[in-house]
Amino acid sequence: MAGRDVRFHLQGGAEAAMTWAPDHPLDMLIRKLESIAHLSAEERRAIAGLPTLVRLLKAGQDIVRDDDRPSQCCLVLEGWACRYKLISQGKRQIFSFHVPGDIPDLQSLNLKAMDHSLCALTSTKVAFIPHHSVLALTARHPRIAAIFWRDTLVEAAIFREWMVGMGRRTASQAIAHQICELYLKLKAVGLAENHLYRLPVTQSDIADALGLTNVHVNRVLRELRTKGLVTIVGGTLRIHDWRELTGFCEFDPTYLHLERQAA
């Protein structure tokens, strides 16, 4: 696949570009795993050898649903996805956002029935990987199995931070904390730099993730802009003062357990 520029439109009409050029669908998975652990050349080749079925999904399209018994894992290649659950009144709770390189349903290897749903938040390209192929890979390469386990533990750490955000941080702090988290996750796989990244989720998505109303999210984003901390223009988020923003929301990136960033 030829490389392409991801262009960010800044205030004043300027542009910034980052080149994202994976040569193979599983390059994004390798990039993600190498952000939290070291992979040998042999392990990278083994992961790249997994069979995949690539599909394009529309925004809002479910990838796997509550109570499903999937036989494959889903790798996000482009776009954003989320874990969510609906209650009887039709209200949605989002548990996590997922960006390229993430396998949001890796737990389906061992938990046969889904206890939540997974959907595309934007137009999304995904790669489906059969469970039996992943299990065979981890049997041949125990270190890869350990790295997958580490990835699920990092997801659990992120979930705990979200719980703290909903339960003990103010709405402004919770949103600011999420902005910082997403920046580092995207930067780790080469999709953000210079405190700038695409934020394609809606205010409604943020509200459903943090248990807020759309009006409250809108008010917080205006407050952060007024304080000179962040701006969002055309779906692109720019952090103007990283130190001030992280201090404001008490952001400590230790829970992400990042060891390296994509070149």
Side-chain angles (χ1 to χ4, degrees):
M1 182 189 303
R4 62 182 177 85
D5 281 345
V6 180
R7 295 204 167 267
F8 296 110
H9 295 270
L10 311 180
Q11 286 182 303
E15 283 189 330
M18 293 186 298
T19 300
W20 175 36
D23 297 317
H24 184 282
L26 289 165
D27 283 354
M28 284 307 303
L29 174 58
I30 293 169
R31 185 178 295 186
K32 163 62 184 300
L33 295 179
E34 288 197 313
S35 74
I36 60 171
H38 172 73
L39 288 172
S40 69
E42 180 186 358
E43 288 164 342
R44 289 195 294 270
R45 285 193 297 269
I47 293 170
L50 286 168
T52 60
L53 174 64
V54 177
R55 290 186 57 197
L56 297 175
L57 306 177
K58 297 178 181 178
Q61 184 173 350
D62 278 333
I63 301 169
V64 62
R65 294 189 178 94
D66 204 349
D67 291 329
D68 279 356
R69 293 177 174 269
S71 60
Q72 54 196 1
C73 293
C74 167
L75 166 65
V76 180
L77 300 177
E78 296 181 22
W80 288 40
C82 75
R83 291 192 188 115
Y84 76 95
K85 198 172 184 75
L86 294 175
I87 62 174
S88 58
Q89 296 92 337
K91 295 181 179 180
R92 178 181 66 163
Q93 178 64 53
I94 289 178
F95 301 119
S96 55
F97 292 132
H98 293 279
V99 300
D102 287 349
I103 303 184
D105 58 349
L106 189 61
Q107 71 273 13
S108 66
L109 284 171
N110 294 297
L111 301 178
K112 300 306 180 184
M114 294 293 293
D115 56 24
H116 60 277
S117 299
L118 175 68
C119 81
L121 281 174
T122 66
S123 296
T124 304
K125 180 186 287 187
V126 300
F128 291 104
I129 310 169
H131 282 174
H132 64 82
S133 298
V134 179
L135 291 171
L137 171 73
T138 56
R140 293 193 309 271
H141 298 273
R143 277 199 73 256
I144 294 178
I147 294 170
F148 279 147
W149 174 231
R150 180 181 175 88
D151 187 49
T152 61
L153 292 176
V154 173
E155 288 292 334
I158 291 172
F159 182 74
R160 289 190 289 273
E161 282 296 323
W162 280 41
M163 290 295 293
V164 173
M166 287 190 289
R168 289 295 177 260
R169 295 188 180 106
T170 67
S172 297
Q173 289 174 318
I175 291 176
H177 199 278
Q178 198 168 85
I179 287 171
C180 295
E181 175 186 295
L182 290 170
Y183 173 68
L184 290 187
K185 282 192 64 175
L186 289 164
K187 186 178 182 183
V189 293
L191 296 179
E193 63 180 3
N194 299 324
H195 297 134
L196 185 74
Y197 64 93
R198 290 289 297 170
L199 183 66
V201 298
T202 66
Q203 292 184 10
S204 178
D205 296 329
I206 297 172
D208 286 351
L210 296 175
L212 303 171
T213 65
N214 291 358
V215 172
H216 204 164
V217 172
N218 182 270
R219 184 163 60 246
V220 167
L221 292 175
R222 282 192 282 111
E223 174 190 334
L224 295 177
R225 183 178 67 243
T226 300
K227 289 182 176 179
L229 297 177
V230 303
T231 53
I232 303 175
V233 179
T236 296
L237 185 142
R238 186 174 191 81
I239 299 170
H240 296 284
D241 192 327
W242 175 257
R243 180 173 296 181
E244 185 71 19
L245 184 66
T246 56
F248 169 69
C249 63
E250 300 179 348
F251 180 76
D252 178 353
T254 303
Y255 71 98
L256 294 174
H257 300 281
L258 295 172
E259 295 192 357
R260 57 177 291 188
Q261 298 172 357

